[in-house]
Amino acid sequence: MSYLTPFYLILQDMHERPYRALTLCDEPGIPDDSYVLEEWYCPNPLCPCNEVHLKVFARQQKTYTADIRLPLDPQQPIAPILDNDDAMGCIADDTFPVYTAKLFRLIADYLKNNPDDVERLRQHYHQLRAVAADPTHPCYKTVDYWGKHGYRQKTSSGHKRHKRR
C-alpha cells in the first residue's frame, strides 16, 4: 500500500503545474466557481492499478468537492468513478457538497468526450511511475517520500492511502 502522489511533484519547474480547470457559471445546482482537477497517482511501480485520482478543488470555496477515480486501461471504455466513499476530511463535517454528483456527471461527460485528455493522463501515469522506479531521477526522493508517508499535516487535505483494487 502507498499514498497517492500528486503529479506535479515530478516536474522540474514547479511554476508549470498541469492542471485542468473547469469554470462553471449558471450551471443548475452547482455553485459558480473554477474547479481544478488535480492529478494523483499511485507511485508504487509494482502496483498494477493503472488509474488516476482526479481530486476536484473549488478555488473560490477553497475546498475539495470530489474525488474521481479513472481507470486508464486503453483496452477499456472511459469510465470515471465517483470515489467519495473515503471522506477526504476537507469540509467541516467530513462530507462532500450536495452538488458533487452533478459536478461528477459533468466531468465524467467531459472525459468521455475528450479521449486526448485521457491519453495525456495515461502519459502522466507512466511518467510518474518511471520517476518512482528510477533512483537517479532528481525527483525520485520526493516521490518516494510521498508514496511512503503522504503529506503529513495536522488536518487532512485529501490525501489517502491507495489500495490495490
Side-chain angles (χ1 to χ4, degrees), residues 41 47-53 69-81 111-112 115 117-126 129 165:
Y41 300 91
C47 179
C49 63
N50 200 15
E51 64 188 18
V52 61
H53 283 250
R69 186 165 45 95
L70 179 64
L72 296 173
D73 183 348
Q75 304 302 318
Q76 300 297 321
I78 298 170
I81 301 160
L111 292 168
K112 290 175 184 177
D117 277 355
V118 175
E119 182 56 35
R120 179 186 54 81
L121 293 170
R122 285 185 187 109
Q123 291 170 0
H124 289 179
Y125 168 81
H126 292 296
R129 288 296 184 93
R165 297 186 189 264

Side-chain angles (χ1 to χ4, degrees), residues 16-28:
E16 293 185 31
R17 293 190 177 185
Y19 293 138
R20 288 285 190 255
L22 179 64
T23 302
L24 299 178
C25 296
D26 300 324
E27 189 66 43

Side-chain angles (χ1 to χ4, degrees), residues 79-144:
I81 301 160
L82 184 60
D83 196 21
N84 289 350
D85 58 339
D86 185 14
M88 295 190 313
C90 304
I91 300 172
D93 61 359
D94 286 340
T95 60
F96 285 91
V98 294
Y99 61 85
T100 296
K102 290 180 183 179
L103 182 61
F104 165 72
R105 283 192 292 277
L106 284 175
I107 294 170
D109 287 345
Y110 171 82
L111 292 168
K112 290 175 184 177
N113 292 318
N114 290 280
D116 289 344
D117 277 355
V118 175
E119 182 56 35
R120 179 186 54 81
L121 293 170
R122 285 185 187 109
Q123 291 170 0
H124 289 179
Y125 168 81
H126 292 296
Q127 288 173 331
L128 189 126
R129 288 296 184 93
V131 169
D134 180 5
T136 64
H137 193 282
C139 298
Y140 171 82
K141 286 183 182 179
T142 303
V143 170
D144 186 58

Side-chain angles (χ1 to χ4, degrees), residues 145-161:
Y145 179 85
W146 267 75
K148 291 177 180 170
H149 305 286
Y151 180 72
R152 295 189 185 235
Q153 64 184 51
K154 291 183 181 180
T155 58
S156 173
S157 62
H159 313 292
K160 62 184 178 181
R161 300 220 9 134

